[in-house]
Amino acid sequence: MEEYIPSIGRLVDCFAALPGVGRKTAARLAYWVLDMNNEDAENFADAIISARKNVKQCPVCHNLSDSEICKICSDEKRDKSVICVVEGPRDVGAFEKTREYRGVYHVLHGLISPMDGISPEQIFVKDLVVRASDETVKEVIMATNPTVEGESTAIYISRLIKPLGVKVTRLAYGMPVGGNLEHADEVTLFRALMGRSEI
Amino acid sequence: MEEYIPSIGRLVDCFAALPGVGRKTAARLAYWVLDMNNEDAENFADAIISARKNVKQCPVCHNLSDSEICKICSDEKRDKSVICVVEGPRDVGAFEKTREYRGVYHVLHGLISPMDGISPEQIFVKDLVVRASDETVKEVIMATNPTVEGESTAIYISRLIKPLGVKVTRLAYGMPVGGNLEHADEVTLFRALMGRSEI
């Protein structure tokens, strides 16, 4: 006999297809769903379907959105003169969690990576240049990840935007808060040293 | 603004309600689902609904089943004279994976645990005694986990079944295959020593 009966096997397969979920974890999740009350299970299934149906891309910043223009772009209180450029929609969530940033975003949906065959045309660079050309825009913050691709994408974009007379900035490098000097790699420590400020 | 837009937030909540899935993993899974093709997402949602709708409990062994009587109980080739008693449906899967066991099962759906207020009446002990009373049954294998509750449930059940003239056995204790003597706890090592056999 198979390890699972078909109905359960199918659910295990679905969970196992998710990233970072192995067969054993998938089985644990599947049995968990079987033990859920009906309402929760239906809510779960419906959340999957409706998330995919309702979530669109904002035509302004390309962030994922429930509405036509996303909440941030349509918020009167957000500062439209500052654009924070990020790789993906999840980065927007990370910034929003700080509750400190009041500007708007631009989601590239990828990074320039010749190794992976991703050219500037395949991410939303062109739209960003158009947005930055608007005279209301004063600053573009490059907030791509501190990796080789993130770095080179930031440099590439800054070269396109600086000639427009817009200030281009980059996130600070340094020690993570709560970090341990002993465990910091040399490059991070060097950047933390270079970026030191008076107290 | 919230960290996620409502449609995504709802999906994140659903994933985060699963065991062992934190908010960050839940967000990763939710974005993964958003990137799925339509067919996969619908299949996922439907698998949740139909697993819960189709999965019943076999009236004989109480294992989960797609059909009225489960596949194992209705299989002519399985040896009905041996009943393997396990705590939950997942344990059946573990035994089936070995492809060595040819008897049938009895799923208790829990273990006797006075600490958690679980008495023998709340698990399927009574049904097991009825099954074991049938003259075709020759052996009952107690395959509950080697924990305090598993142990005491095994002893409790064996006292009920032995008087029926049925052989009651317990899984062997010992070193796990591929295990390391150095890392084995004393109790396991002691049981492995006690259970040694001639080679």
Side-chain angles (χ1 to χ4, degrees):
Chain A
M1 202 194 96
E2 296 292 313
E3 190 183 348
Y4 307 109
I5 57 172
S7 297
I8 299 178
R10 183 180 160 206
L11 190 55
V12 172
D13 289 343
C14 284
F15 276 116
L18 297 173
V21 179
R23 298 290 301 175
K24 287 210 174 180
T25 304
R28 184 152 154 255
L29 299 180
Y31 281 103
W32 183 273
V33 168
L34 284 172
D35 277 342
M36 273 182 178
N37 63 47
N38 259 321
E39 202 186 322
D40 285 351
E42 271 160 30
N43 178 45
F44 189 4
D46 186 57
I48 291 170
I49 296 298
S50 63
R52 293 179 41 82
K53 203 169 57 191
N54 298 337
V55 176
K56 300 176 258 298
Q57 226 179 68
C58 169
V60 180
C61 71
H62 301 291
N63 189 14
L64 300 180
S65 167
D66 273 335
S67 43
E68 183 57 28
I69 304 281
C70 83
K71 263 194 180 171
I72 299 176
C73 287
S74 55
D75 187 345
E76 295 278 311
K77 288 183 210 137
R78 304 292 295 228
D79 181 1
K80 304 287 192 302
S81 72
V82 185
I83 301 173
C84 179
V85 181
V86 293
E87 177 183 348
R90 295 176 63 184
D91 301 321
V92 173
F95 274 101
E96 288 300 295
K97 250 197 328 201
T98 68
R99 295 178 189 277
E100 291 294 336
Y101 181 66
R102 303 304 305 160
V104 291
Y105 296 94
H106 188 87
V107 182
L108 294 172
H109 285 271
L111 293 173
I112 300 166
S113 170
M115 289 274 284
D116 302 318
I118 301 172
S119 66
E121 289 75 39
Q122 286 165 274
I123 61 175
F124 293 104
V125 170
K126 213 175 159 187
D127 297 55
L128 175 61
V129 177
V130 173
R131 280 181 82 186
S133 311
D134 192 287
E135 57 184 12
T136 57
V137 177
K138 301 272 176 284
E139 181 180 355
V140 169
I141 304 170
M142 294 306 310
T144 49
N145 281 322
T147 57
V148 174
E149 287 83 10
E151 220 35 52
S152 48
T153 304
I155 292 167
Y156 178 87
I157 292 176
S158 72
R159 283 191 189 147
L160 292 177
I161 291 177
K162 268 187 189 165
L164 305 170
V166 175
K167 185 163 88 176
V168 181
T169 56
R170 183 91 179 96
L171 286 187
Y173 279 106
M175 290 292 298
V177 177
N180 192 321
L181 278 180
E182 220 177 308
H183 300 140
D185 63 287
E186 306 80 36
V187 184
T188 301
L189 211 52
F190 172 71
R191 300 296 288 257
L193 194 65
M194 297 302 289
R196 69 190 181 279
S197 61
E198 216 170 316
I199 50 170
Chain B
M1 204 192 96
E2 295 293 314
E3 192 182 348
Y4 307 108
I5 57 172
S7 295
I8 299 178
R10 184 181 159 205
L11 190 55
V12 172
D13 289 343
C14 285
F15 276 117
L18 297 174
V21 178
R23 297 289 302 175
K24 287 209 173 180
T25 304
R28 184 152 155 253
L29 299 179
Y31 281 104
W32 183 273
V33 167
L34 284 171
D35 278 342
M36 273 181 177
N37 64 47
N38 259 320
E39 203 185 322
D40 285 349
E42 271 159 31
N43 178 44
F44 190 4
D46 187 56
I48 291 171
I49 296 297
S50 63
R52 292 179 42 81
K53 203 169 58 192
N54 298 339
V55 177
K56 302 177 256 300
Q57 225 179 71
C58 170
V60 180
C61 70
H62 301 291
N63 190 13
L64 300 180
S65 168
D66 273 335
S67 42
E68 183 57 29
I69 304 280
C70 84
K71 264 193 180 169
I72 299 176
C73 285
S74 55
D75 187 344
E76 296 277 313
K77 288 183 210 137
R78 304 292 296 228
D79 181 0
K80 304 288 192 300
S81 72
V82 185
I83 301 175
C84 179
V85 181
V86 294
E87 177 184 348
R90 296 174 62 184
D91 301 321
V92 173
F95 274 101
E96 287 302 294
K97 250 196 332 201
T98 69
R99 296 178 189 277
E100 291 295 337
Y101 180 66
R102 303 304 305 158
V104 291
Y105 296 94
H106 187 87
V107 182
L108 295 173
H109 285 272
L111 293 174
I112 300 166
S113 170
M115 289 275 284
D116 302 319
I118 301 172
S119 66
E121 289 75 38
Q122 286 165 276
I123 62 175
F124 294 104
V125 170
K126 212 174 159 187
D127 297 54
L128 175 61
V129 178
V130 174
R131 281 181 80 186
S133 311
D134 193 288
E135 58 184 10
T136 58
V137 177
K138 301 272 176 285
E139 181 180 355
V140 169
I141 304 171
M142 294 307 310
T144 49
N145 282 322
T147 58
V148 175
E149 286 83 10
E151 219 37 50
S152 46
T153 303
I155 292 169
Y156 178 88
I157 291 175
S158 72
R159 284 192 189 145
L160 292 176
I161 292 176
K162 269 187 187 164
L164 304 171
V166 175
K167 185 162 87 175
V168 182
T169 55
R170 184 91 179 95
L171 287 187
Y173 280 104
M175 290 293 299
V177 177
N180 192 322
L181 277 182
E182 219 177 310
H183 299 140
D185 63 286
E186 305 81 35
V187 184
T188 300
L189 210 53
F190 172 71
R191 300 296 288 256
L193 195 64
M194 296 303 288
R196 69 191 181 278
S197 61
E198 216 169 318
I199 50 170

